[in-house]
């Protein structure tokens, strides 16, 4: 029986969705982080999850638990965000030699639940966050907008639909990503050494010592090609911000826009599909020995508004008042 219900998970309210052999927990007061996605039939835990986690643990480090949605994803150099009609200065929260703003603010905000329900096909929840002068971050970014998420769970897995609408007279810069923390191992009882990751890397986006793009796109090295052919072990070694312009893979003989993580011993795969708006992937794993790895899709490059590259290359977009930008993601198990 498919179900959508409100629950309290260790101190944070969530919507729990159950449908088609999957269970999902959406922590709407922590930026609508999908703090759990599990497939019961194949004993697959998609995202980094700890049943004993107090809410404070996730609140303090939302980027490395579950699947948070980021705006802006990753870094803005010196906290500067240049649009076609303004220049904003976001707080520098990544110090030392980096001196960047990192991860934005949306994944830390309380979102409202607009609807949750279930039928014979699926369970779903719709949420909303309205950014305006009532938000403390408005002093840095006075551009009103509304973010709306719809999470739909079914036998086909979990789909997230995202809408950003500009409510301001100024342009709304668009760069959206997810800091997806995948559990390692993701199959119960599996071995870390059996995990392989396949990424549709076309060109490597070179980064400098501050993890900012040099604006050079490089041919793939032998290291990079391990992602393409699916032989990359995404743990037990350090993957430190490997960033790529994305192409497509193949799944069941058909083009597939996304990444695939496989447990070689069982043949169970996690498929992470994204809409065409996501044009880049960055791979990071917190040194490789902490029980998770992060394949992070982004609609635009790191620091995209500040680059001299054309939007057709960087992926950066702007929308005017009344316009809406949409994108989507989809997670499912394959054998």
């Amino acid at each position: 029986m498919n179900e959508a219900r409100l629950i309290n998970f260790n101190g944070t309210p969530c919507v729990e969705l159950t449908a088609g052999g999957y269970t999902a927990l959406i922590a709407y007061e922590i930026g609508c982080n999908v703090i759990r996605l599990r497939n019961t039939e194949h004993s697959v835990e998609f995202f980094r999850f700890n049943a004993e986690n107090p809410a404070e643990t996730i609140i303090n480090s939302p980027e490395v638990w579950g699947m948070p949605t980021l705006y802006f994803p990753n870094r803005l150099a010196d906290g500067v965000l240049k649009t076609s009609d303004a220049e904003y200065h976001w707080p520098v929260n990544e110090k030392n030699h980096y001196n960047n703003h990192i991860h934005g603010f949306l994944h830390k905000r309380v979102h409202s639940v607009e609807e949750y329900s279930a039928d014979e096909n699926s369970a779903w929840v719709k949420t909303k966050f309205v950014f305006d002068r009532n938000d403390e971050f408005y002093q840095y970014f006075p551009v009103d907008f509304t973010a709306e998420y719809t999470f739909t769970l079914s036998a086909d897995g979990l789909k997230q639909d995202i809408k950003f609408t500009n409510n301001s007279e100024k342009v709304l810069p668009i760069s959206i990503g997810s800091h997806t923390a995948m559990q390692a191992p993701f199959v119960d009882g599996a071995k870390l050494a059996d995990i392989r990751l396949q990424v549709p890397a076309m060109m490597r986006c070179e980064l400098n010592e501050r993890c900012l793009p040099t604006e050079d796109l490089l041919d793939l090295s032998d290291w990079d090609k391990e992602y393409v052919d699916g032989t990359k072990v995404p743990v037990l070694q350090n993957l430190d911000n490997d960033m790529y312009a994305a192409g497509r893979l193949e799944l069941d003989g058909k083009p597939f826009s996304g990444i695939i993580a496989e447990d070689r011993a069982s043949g169970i795969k996690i498929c992470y599909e994204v809409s065409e708006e996501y044009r880049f992937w960055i791979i990071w794993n917190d040194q490789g020995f902490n029980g998770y790895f992060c394949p992070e899709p982004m609609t635009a490059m790191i620091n995209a508004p500040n680059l001299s590259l054309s939007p057709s290359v960087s992926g950066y977009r702007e929308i005017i008042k009344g316009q809406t930008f949409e994108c989507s993601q989809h997670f499912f198990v394959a054998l």
Side-chain angles (χ1 to χ4, degrees), residues 164-309:
F164 273 65
T165 302
N166 186 357
N167 304 325
S168 172
E169 298 299 331
K170 293 187 175 295
V171 300
L172 179 69
I174 296 294
S175 181
I176 299 169
S178 294
H179 205 296
T180 311
M182 287 191 163
Q183 183 94 337
F186 51 84
V187 177
D188 292 356
K191 297 178 180 178
L192 291 171
D194 287 334
I195 303 174
R196 297 294 184 275
L197 178 64
Q198 190 175 17
V199 178
M202 286 179 51
M203 300 286 288
R204 185 179 185 98
C205 303
E206 185 182 52
L207 304 181
N208 63 21
E209 68 281 355
R210 293 173 60 192
C211 286
L212 301 171
T214 65
E215 303 194 4
D216 287 334
L217 297 176
L218 308 178
D219 291 334
L220 301 181
S221 67
D222 289 343
W223 168 272
D224 303 323
K225 291 175 181 177
E226 290 181 4
Y227 286 114
V228 180
D229 62 24
T231 60
K232 180 70 74 180
V233 180
V235 287
L236 305 176
Q237 61 179 331
N238 188 22
L239 307 183
D240 188 12
N241 293 294
D242 292 338
M243 184 179 171
Y244 303 98
R248 287 186 172 186
L249 301 177
E250 189 174 278
L251 181 67
D252 297 331
K254 299 178 182 179
F256 179 78
S257 297
I259 63 95
I260 300 170
E262 180 178 5
D263 174 60
R264 286 287 178 90
S266 65
I268 295 173
K269 302 181 182 72
I270 283 181
C271 302
Y272 183 2
E273 185 178 21
V274 295
S275 62
E276 64 182 9
E277 291 78 16
Y278 290 94
R279 296 181 48 195
F280 302 91
W281 288 90
I282 188 163
I283 316 299
W284 176 81
N285 68 2
D286 192 15
Q287 306 298 317
F289 293 87
N290 290 297
Y292 69 103
F293 59 99
C294 298
E296 305 170 31
M298 300 186 297
T299 64
M301 283 184 178
I302 294 170
N303 201 36
N306 306 317
L307 301 180
S308 65
L309 298 171

